[in-house]
Amino acid sequence: NAGVTQTPKFQVLKTGQSMTLQCAQDMNHEYMSWYRQDPGMGLRLIHYSVGAGITDQGEVPNGYNVSRSTTEDFPLRLLSAAPSQTSVYFCASSPGLAQETQYFGPGTRLLVL
Amino acid sequence: KQEVTQIPAALSVPEGENLVLNCSFTDSAIYNLQWFRQDPGKGLTSLLLIQSSQREQTSGRLNASLDKSSGRSTLYIAASQPGDSATYLCAVRGNDMRFGAGTRLTVKP
């Protein structure tokens, strides 16, 4: 049981490039979410999904796209990277939406030049 | 909009001390509150989850309390150890999940 996995661990992009951050979980969790963490701030919710085929926006969705074609995978796409998207990105999953503990991946550190 | 505040931002204590970390939130309409630990360069590890109907949860040397009506939670760490050094984050779950900025704890040997 690997839990929540994220790839890559670290990535450098140039402004305007696109990329996909991968997230997978093997716990059959319905709820998955993406956060970004910036220095001195808490985690902020980017997008979330309550099940395959269903996604919704969080607090800071601009510049990011998501899709959920399977229960296991929840990729985050940066359409045209900007320096303001330099951050550490965390993926999380939980069995349900309201009452359950969230499990976090190890994070992806992204630097946009 | 839910806002979550953690005080203090940083705390340094000698080994063996009992300590309290504070978390406050502005909207009491929550499903639960969760305390996490984050080590430098790592992801978050869940420590305790308190449902909105509960008052406290305990795990080993950790005890978390929740007072929903006043918008406050505390994390009590007994007999602190150097291995407890980390950043502690609280998060409240309502329509979405909101995090505090964390308290960076250093326990000196």
Side-chain angles (χ1 to χ4, degrees):
Chain A
N1 204 342
V4 181
T5 58
Q6 291 183 238
T7 56
K9 286 192 170 78
F10 181 70
Q11 183 72 45
V12 179
L13 289 179
K14 293 181 180 176
T15 296
Q17 287 184 315
S18 62
M19 79 160 294
T20 299
L21 280 64
Q22 301 292 344
C23 174
Q25 51 90 11
D26 61 0
M27 298 174 282
N28 202 32
H29 286 173
E30 289 297 323
Y31 183 86
M32 297 185 73
S33 52
W34 276 102
Y35 297 86
R36 60 178 288 172
Q37 185 177 34
D38 301 297
M41 304 181 71
L43 278 72
R44 291 181 293 168
L45 182 64
I46 303 171
H47 285 285
Y48 65 96
S49 168
V50 299
I54 306 169
T55 63
D56 206 347
Q57 296 180 350
E59 187 183 357
V60 288
N62 292 341
Y64 306 95
N65 271 1
V66 292
S67 60
R68 184 96 180 270
S69 56
T70 67
T71 299
E72 295 78 20
D73 300 298
F74 191 42
L76 178 72
R77 296 183 190 84
L78 278 69
L79 308 172
S80 177
S84 61
Q85 294 178 303
T86 293
S87 189
V88 182
Y89 292 84
F90 289 100
C91 178
S93 74
S94 63
L97 177 61
Q99 302 293 333
E100 310 289 341
T101 298
Q102 282 210 96
Y103 298 87
F104 280 78
T108 293
R109 192 173 296 271
L110 178 67
L111 175 62
V112 183
L113 302 175
Chain B
K1 175 186 161 186
Q2 178 76 272
E3 292 185 6
V4 182
T5 304
Q6 291 187 246
I7 295 173
L11 181 63
S12 181
V13 300
E15 182 176 4
E17 272 204 8
N18 303 324
L19 58 101
V20 174
L21 307 181
N22 296 292
C23 174
S24 61
F25 49 96
T26 56
D27 186 351
S28 61
I30 65 171
Y31 291 112
N32 59 53
L33 183 144
Q34 199 164 353
W35 282 94
F36 293 89
R37 170 187 172 132
Q38 185 176 29
D39 293 290
K42 304 290 186 184
L44 280 68
T45 301
S46 179
L47 297 173
L48 290 164
L49 172 73
I50 310 177
Q51 304 293 357
S52 62
S53 59
Q54 296 175 322
R55 299 283 290 182
E56 65 178 333
Q57 281 286 335
T58 298
S59 176
R61 294 183 293 109
L62 305 179
N63 176 276
S65 68
L66 174 64
D67 184 341
K68 207 171 66 158
S69 61
S70 68
R72 293 177 188 275
S73 176
T74 61
L75 178 67
Y76 174 83
I77 302 177
S80 58
Q81 303 170 358
D84 295 330
S85 298
T87 296
Y88 291 81
L89 297 158
C90 73
V92 295
R93 191 164 227 181
N95 291 328
D96 57 16
M97 195 145 180
R98 295 287 170 129
F99 281 79
T103 294
R104 190 173 67 253
L105 173 66
T106 302
V107 181
K108 296 173 288 188

